[in-house]
């Protein structure tokens, strides 16, 4: 709209009308009112930091200073479209394992509540002692039938506890460190972080934002607490005169290719272009890594499901063998 010649206030009014999300619509309306009162767009957006990402606010501020706000916003549109594409890939790769796990739990509960009791009735009249696995399953079945509300409460409490811990500072740091160490998820995690880091830094620097300020913004958008802390400590090294390529190598997070590419960009004076090419490369790597992760998780989940259901089936049939042996 800005590129077509509309002023900022009219553009924001149109956006607020067509925005379906109530929170975003309220924020855009407030921003339009503030801009109409003489506040700059970036200052008005900064009031709603929980709605607008810090990178967008900083880029809008740079666009206002340089006078090319429409160009900056177009870059931001491309940036967030690619970020959204990466996020969707991550979510879609986890759909199958989560669905399979839910189905496994539902099948186990169904077998314990409805199938197992019919088998137990077959052996009530016999004097044959039930094997330990069968007694364990019978105990679980009786517990679920009699105290199902306690089971639901325990599950809800566990889910709430894990969710609260993940959202805490220590919990985020713990799980983010696990994602960087666990062999199965380490590769995709590093590549996603690398793609985010290089693309965001390229976008910021190509818009004229200084390196130190760009690094501060980038550290907040990598979406990994461990990487964020290392990047923040790396900013201090850059302030002391350490080259960006060496800082990237020293924090030992990104693949070796990244610091090599950054070094080439520093020497050639085209760091933003090199970072953008690196980001495009790792976007493709993320696709491959997530495909591999999904292909590895699928058989693991199937084996896990087979072991649990197999244990239940064996526990139900063991008493039959005991009866046959007794006869």
């Amino acid at each position: 709209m800005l590129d077509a010649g509309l002023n900022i206030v009219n553009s924001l009014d149109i956006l607020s009308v067509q925005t379906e999300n109530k929170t975003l619509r309220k924020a855009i309306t407030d921003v339009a009112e503030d801009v109409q009162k003489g506040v700059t767009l970036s200052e008005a957006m900064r009031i709603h930091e929980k709605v607008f990402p810090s990178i967008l606010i900083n880029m809008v501020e740079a666009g206002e200073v340089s006078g090319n706000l429409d160009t900056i916003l177009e870059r931001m549109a491309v940036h967030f479209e690619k970020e959204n594409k990466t996020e969707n890939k991550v979510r879609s790769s986890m759909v199958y394992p989560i669905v399979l796990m839910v189905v496994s739990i539902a099948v186990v509960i169904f077998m314990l509540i409805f199938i197992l009791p019919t088998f137990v009735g077959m052996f009530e009249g016999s004097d044959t002692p039930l094997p330990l696995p069968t007694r364990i399953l019978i105990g679980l079945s009786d517990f679920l039938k009699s105290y199902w509300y306690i089971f639901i409460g325990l599950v809800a409490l566990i889910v709430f506890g894990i969710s609260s811990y993940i959202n805490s500072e220590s919990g985020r740091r713990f799980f983010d460190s696990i994602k960087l160490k666990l062999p199965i998820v380490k590769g995709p995690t590093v590549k996603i972080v690398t793609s985010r880091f290089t693309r965001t830094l390229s976008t910021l620097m190509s818009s004229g934002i200084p390196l130190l300020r760009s690094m501060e913004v980038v550290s907040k958008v990598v979406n990994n607490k461990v990487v964020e802390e290392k990047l923040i400590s790396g900013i201090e090294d850059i302030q002391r005169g350490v080259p960006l390529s060496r800082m990237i190598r020293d924090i030992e997070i990104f693949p070796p290719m990244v610091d090599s590419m950054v070094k080439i960009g520093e020497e050639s004076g085209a760091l933003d272009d090199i970072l953008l090419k690196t980001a495009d490369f790792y976007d493709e790597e993320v696709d491959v890594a997530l495909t591999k992760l999904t292909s590895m998780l699928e058989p693991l989940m199937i084996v896990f499901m087979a072991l649990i259901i197999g244990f239940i089936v064996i526990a139900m049939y063991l008493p039959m063998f005991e009866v046959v042996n007794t006869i």
Side-chain angles (χ1 to χ4, degrees), residues 39-147:
V39 179
T40 63
L41 179 60
S42 58
E43 290 173 350
M45 292 172 68
R46 207 177 295 278
I47 298 171
H48 302 275
E49 287 184 334
K50 292 183 178 179
V51 177
F52 301 107
S54 58
I55 179 177
L56 178 60
I57 298 171
N58 282 282
M59 291 291 283
V60 168
E61 186 177 10
E64 290 170 334
V65 172
S66 62
N68 59 341
L69 183 58
D70 53 343
T71 305
I72 294 291
L73 288 174
E74 189 173 356
R75 286 179 188 170
M76 281 285 88
V78 173
H79 173 85
F80 283 116
E81 282 168 4
K82 293 194 175 181
E83 280 290 299
N84 187 53
K85 186 179 177 182
T86 303
E87 288 290 336
N88 288 336
K89 287 173 188 172
V90 174
R91 290 194 189 101
S92 62
S93 67
M94 298 308 297
V95 167
Y96 182 82
I98 291 172
V99 169
L100 193 57
M101 183 178 292
V102 171
V103 169
S104 301
I105 294 171
V107 168
V108 169
I109 292 173
F110 177 79
M111 293 181 75
L112 288 175
I113 294 177
F114 298 103
I115 306 299
L116 185 63
T118 60
F119 279 80
V120 172
M122 295 169 58
F123 304 108
E124 284 180 346
S126 66
D127 296 327
T128 307
L130 296 175
L132 178 62
T134 308
R135 293 201 304 271
I136 292 173
L137 285 182
I138 292 172
L140 283 173
S141 177
D142 292 339
F143 175 79
L144 286 174
K145 286 190 294 183
S146 304
Y147 305 102

Side-chain angles (χ1 to χ4, degrees), residues 208-237:
I209 296 179
L211 176 59
L212 291 175
R213 180 60 185 152
S214 297
M215 288 295 296
E216 290 174 5
V217 176
V218 170
S219 65
K220 296 174 184 176
V221 301
V222 290
N223 201 24
N224 188 290
K225 197 67 180 174
V226 176
V227 179
E228 178 185 340
E229 291 172 352
K230 291 199 173 189
L231 287 175
I232 291 172
S233 65
I235 293 173
E236 299 174 2
D237 294 336

